Amino acid sequence: MLTTTAATADAKATVDYQSFLKLLTAQLRNQDPLAPMDATQFITQLAQFSTVEQGMQTNQTLTQLLETLKASSARFDMAYLGRTVDAATDVAGLVDGELRAAYAVDPAATEVRVDILGADGKVVRTLPGKTGSGRHELLWDGRLADGTSAPDGTYRIEIVAKNAAGDPLDAATVVTDRVREIRQVDGTSLFVLEGGATVNAEDILGIRA
């Protein structure tokens, strides 16, 4: 999208530049030899001509700079490939009967529960949560309420926190997972984790050693 916009702006600038040049040339060719163009007016038009030219050069330089920055950013993002990261997401994978994540809740929370949701959005298991500030670790062994085991796959974690009055409070979930793939979408890098989550660069909180 950015490249298309820049190309359109550059094309428009080129049209304006060429039109101005043709107009100035036509004025000089068709002026009355007995009453030539006023020197002050001619200098003013030359100054405008110079401004248009400089604007075009600036536009081209900025376009090249943006393309360079995008390419550099993409190369930097590739460094995450295969690395284990902490990402702000509520999507995690159950692998070999184990799902790990972490969460934090508002310190005012007096009641916390953890709902595990399947691909259809339905709760497959509810676990007791922890109150208090700080990071709380979550481990689900894949066991369902009826004692059977859930299949490996992608699940969503929903932290439900309430205060003493029963009012809902904020909560945040962090998943530690390996970056499996990096996709470029409209100039933006998307990081696909092995557990199934897809996050943006700003969602990555850190890289594990």
Side-chain angles (χ1 to χ4, degrees):
M1 183 65 179
L2 181 60
T3 303
T4 302
T5 302
T8 302
D10 188 60
K12 182 178 184 301
T14 301
V15 171
D16 292 342
Y17 175 79
Q18 295 295 338
S19 297
F20 188 87
L21 180 60
K22 289 179 180 178
L23 177 61
L24 182 61
T25 302
Q27 285 181 320
L28 291 175
R29 183 182 297 116
N30 298 316
Q31 68 178 336
D32 186 351
L34 300 179
M37 182 185 301
D38 180 74
T40 302
Q41 182 183 359
F42 182 65
I43 292 174
T44 300
Q45 291 193 353
L46 285 178
Q48 292 174 346
F49 176 80
S50 177
T51 300
V52 172
E53 184 180 23
Q54 290 175 4
M56 279 192 59
Q57 293 175 348
T58 299
N59 184 66
Q60 292 173 350
T61 301
L62 289 175
T63 299
Q64 294 172 355
L65 178 60
L66 287 173
E67 292 299 326
T68 301
L69 289 174
K70 285 168 58 180
S72 298
S73 177
R75 285 195 295 270
F76 176 79
D77 291 339
M78 290 300 295
Y80 285 92
L81 192 62
R83 302 291 298 275
T84 298
V85 299
D86 288 329
T89 178
D90 59 2
V91 177
L94 179 68
V95 181
D96 295 331
E98 188 175 275
L99 180 150
R100 290 183 177 273
Y103 63 92
V105 297
D106 190 300
T110 59
E111 176 188 348
V112 178
R113 79 169 191 266
V114 179
D115 289 338
I116 308 295
L117 289 72
D120 58 0
K122 295 181 180 179
V123 177
V124 299
R125 185 65 192 272
T126 296
L127 303 172
K130 298 179 180 179
T131 59
S133 59
R135 178 186 175 109
H136 304 295
E137 299 296 330
L138 169 65
L139 172 61
W140 178 44
D141 60 5
R143 292 287 180 179
L144 302 177
D146 60 4
T148 60
S149 297
D152 283 359
T154 301
Y155 294 83
R156 191 167 70 83
I157 304 166
E158 186 174 280
I159 308 298
V160 181
K162 297 180 181 180
N163 61 16
D167 301 320
L169 299 174
D170 291 333
T173 308
V174 176
V175 170
T176 301
D177 204 347
R178 189 184 301 275
V179 178
R180 183 187 68 199
E181 180 185 353
I182 299 176
R183 300 173 182 170
Q184 292 293 322
V185 179
D186 294 333
T188 300
S189 294
L190 297 179
F191 301 82
V192 182
L193 308 184
E194 289 184 346
T198 299
V199 300
N200 296 313
E202 56 266 27
D203 296 322
I204 297 181
L205 307 178
I207 302 177
R208 294 297 181 102

